[in-house]
């Protein structure tokens, strides 16, 4: 239920240095854009400008203590370039779901949790306060919320697991060489040093690269490979704990079936007809904020020479085989 004021104050950002949280009135919002930042930027361009609230996070939560949040039913983690945005867009097409996609708040929290001076107790309290009061429904149809994380956010899994032990997760993945080809052709923001990513986060992947003698790759290739290795290893951990694992090819070939599998795993009742309607987003390019650009199935050519590809395949083969064995199929 919306607050009597008609406002839905949604926390969207967090300054980890000052512990300052920012909330914005998102009343009426369906979060249909590919990323939450797209929605925020559009709202801030609107006139009259929506009401905003900022301050020390505990004080913000106190001010909003009478604003109950929606239940968090599931989290979507991934390797990147694997259909996770498409899946999140399908959830946004379901009126009962409030789907937050790569929230700046969650990325800030992940970065803080992984820093050397991290206070995990404070992070845990912050996340629970957020879930109690700062993520309310933004329209009368919403019944629960789904979080879709940035790919590297999975590296802060201990924080998410501790704060929300009862929330189900799904891990989506794609073979390393394909992800690398996509990221080299169109680098993600974190690859260019933007956002909150410290590339040392991928140290586990770089250690595997050193062991395999893959220390001579160009910077863009090395970073993409280290990120894939790091996130894929965490995805295997989730799968071995019983979380749902989905391969890109499955999502691409049967989005409706994949949606049914994910909603069942999240404990969300969805009919086959509702899943099929939501899956109609597959006809449009998932990362276009306008939602109008038609989808064209193109796979970037692998921008790696044959010997480099062989060395990478040798390194990633075991992880890909383990992910394949853990992956759900809709057939």
């Amino acid at each position: 239920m919306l607050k009597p004021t008609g406002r839905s104050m949604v926390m969207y950002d967090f300054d980890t240095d000052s512990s300052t949280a920012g909330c914005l009135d998102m009343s009426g919002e369906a979060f249909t854009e590919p990323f939450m930042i797209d929605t925020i930027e559009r709202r801030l361009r609107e006139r009259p400008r929506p009401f905003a609230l900022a301050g020390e996070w505990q004080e913000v939560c106190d001010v909003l203590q009478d604003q109950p949040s929606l239940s968090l039913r599931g989290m979507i983690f991934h390797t990147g370039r694997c259909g996770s945005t498409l899946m999140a867009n399908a959830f946004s097409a379901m009126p009962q779901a409030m789907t937050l996609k790569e929230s700046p708040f969650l990325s800030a929290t992940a970065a803080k949790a992984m820093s050397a001076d991290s206070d995990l107790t404070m992070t845990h309290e912050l996340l629970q306060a957020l879930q109690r009061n700062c993520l309310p429904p933004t329209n009368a149809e919403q019944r629960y919320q789904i979080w879709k994380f940035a790919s590297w956010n999975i590296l802060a899994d201990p924080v998410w697991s501790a704060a929300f032990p009862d929330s189900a997760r799904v891990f989506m993945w794609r073979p390393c060489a394909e992800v690398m080809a996509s990221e080299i052709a169109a680098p993600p923001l974190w690859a260019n040093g933007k956002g909150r990513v410290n590339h040392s986060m991928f140290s586990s992947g770089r250690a595997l690269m050193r062991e395999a003698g893959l220390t001579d790759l160009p910077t863009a290739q090395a970073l993409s490979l280290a990120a894939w290795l790091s996130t894929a290893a965490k995805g295997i951990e989730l799968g071995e704990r019983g979380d749902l694992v989905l391969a890109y090819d499955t999502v691409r070939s049967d989005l409706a079936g994949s949606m049914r599998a994910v909603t069942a795993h999240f404990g969300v009742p969805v009919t086959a007809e509702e899943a099929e309607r939501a899956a109609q987003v597959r006809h449009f390019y998932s990362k276009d904020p306008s939602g109008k650009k038609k989808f064209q199935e193109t796979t970037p050519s692998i921008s790696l020479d044959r010997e480099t590809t062989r060395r990478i395949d040798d390194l990633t083969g075991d992880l890909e085989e383990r992910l394949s064995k853990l992956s759900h199929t809709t057939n």
Side-chain angles (χ1 to χ4, degrees):
M1 176 180 292
L2 299 181
K3 291 192 68 179
T5 61
R7 291 195 178 111
S8 295
M9 300 303 298
V10 174
M11 188 181 290
Y12 67 90
D13 206 359
F14 181 53
D15 183 334
T16 56
D17 292 329
S18 64
S19 295
T20 299
C23 295
L24 192 67
D25 182 10
M26 293 287 189
S27 302
E29 191 55 62
F31 298 96
T32 55
E33 284 97 341
F35 302 102
M36 189 175 179
I37 190 64
D38 296 324
T39 305
I40 294 165
E41 290 176 351
R42 173 176 54 77
R43 296 285 291 200
L44 291 175
R45 291 194 300 268
E46 293 175 352
R47 294 291 182 271
R49 186 167 174 155
F51 181 74
L53 174 68
E56 198 276 333
W57 72 267
Q58 290 175 315
E59 294 182 353
V60 168
C61 290
D62 286 344
V63 169
L64 300 177
Q65 62 181 320
D66 295 327
Q67 176 182 261
S69 294
L70 284 169
S71 170
L72 174 61
R73 301 302 291 272
M75 305 178 183
I76 300 173
F77 296 100
H78 56 100
T79 60
R81 309 298 167 92
C82 59
S84 60
T85 301
L86 178 62
M87 177 67 70
N89 287 350
F91 267 105
S92 290
M94 299 171 59
Q96 62 267 47
M98 182 173 83
T99 308
L100 304 185
K101 307 163 188 173
E102 304 195 13
S103 161
F105 169 82
L106 293 176
S107 288
T109 305
K112 180 65 174 178
M114 297 170 66
S115 65
D117 61 344
S118 172
D119 181 347
L120 293 182
T121 299
M122 184 277 287
T123 302
H124 186 270
E125 292 174 353
L126 170 61
L127 284 167
Q128 291 195 322
L130 165 77
Q131 183 52 31
R132 283 194 303 272
N133 304 114
C134 302
L135 292 175
T138 54
N139 63 57
E141 295 181 284
Q142 292 169 351
R143 296 291 179 267
Y144 56 86
Q145 59 180 298
I146 304 295
W147 291 354
K148 184 260 188 179
F149 290 80
S151 60
W152 60 272
N153 287 178
I154 193 175
L155 303 179
D157 174 63
V159 173
W160 317 127
S161 295
F164 307 108
D166 298 326
S167 293
R169 306 107 189 284
V170 59
F171 180 75
M172 301 175 64
W173 70 283
R174 188 176 183 180
C176 182
E178 295 180 17
V179 173
M180 289 180 66
S182 177
E183 290 182 345
I184 292 168
L189 289 177
W190 55 260
N192 293 322
K194 298 180 181 179
R196 308 177 192 272
V197 181
N198 182 333
H199 293 166
S200 65
M201 293 176 181
F202 307 128
S203 58
S204 61
R206 290 192 183 279
L208 292 174
M209 292 165 61
R210 286 194 298 271
E211 291 174 9
L214 274 167
T215 59
D216 55 345
L217 296 179
T219 300
Q221 294 180 11
L223 180 58
S224 182
L225 177 56
W228 188 94
L229 290 166
S230 301
T231 56
K234 296 297 291 186
I236 290 171
E237 289 182 22
L238 265 61
E240 291 178 341
R241 295 205 305 254
D243 291 308
L244 184 68
V245 178
L246 273 176
Y248 171 72
D249 284 346
T250 299
V251 176
R252 182 179 60 180
S253 63
D254 186 6
L255 180 57
S258 298
M259 277 290 295
R260 292 195 298 272
V262 173
T263 53
H265 184 66
F266 287 170
V268 175
V270 173
T271 67
E273 291 75 16
E274 287 173 327
E276 185 55 52
R277 282 198 299 272
Q280 295 308 303
V281 299
R282 67 181 179 269
H283 297 302
F284 299 91
Y285 177 50
S286 64
K287 291 182 170 61
D288 173 31
S290 75
K292 299 176 181 179
K293 186 176 180 180
K294 294 292 185 180
F295 174 73
Q296 294 181 336
E297 187 169 338
T298 58
T299 301
S301 59
I302 304 299
S303 53
L304 306 170
D305 62 71
R306 183 174 300 179
E307 177 60 19
T308 301
T309 301
R310 182 195 64 77
R311 295 166 67 200
I312 290 172
D313 287 343
D314 286 346
L315 175 56
T316 62
D318 177 65
L319 293 176
E320 291 180 0
E321 182 178 356
R322 293 169 68 185
L323 284 167
S324 294
K325 290 179 177 178
L326 290 167
S327 295
H328 174 85
T329 60
T330 59
N331 296 326

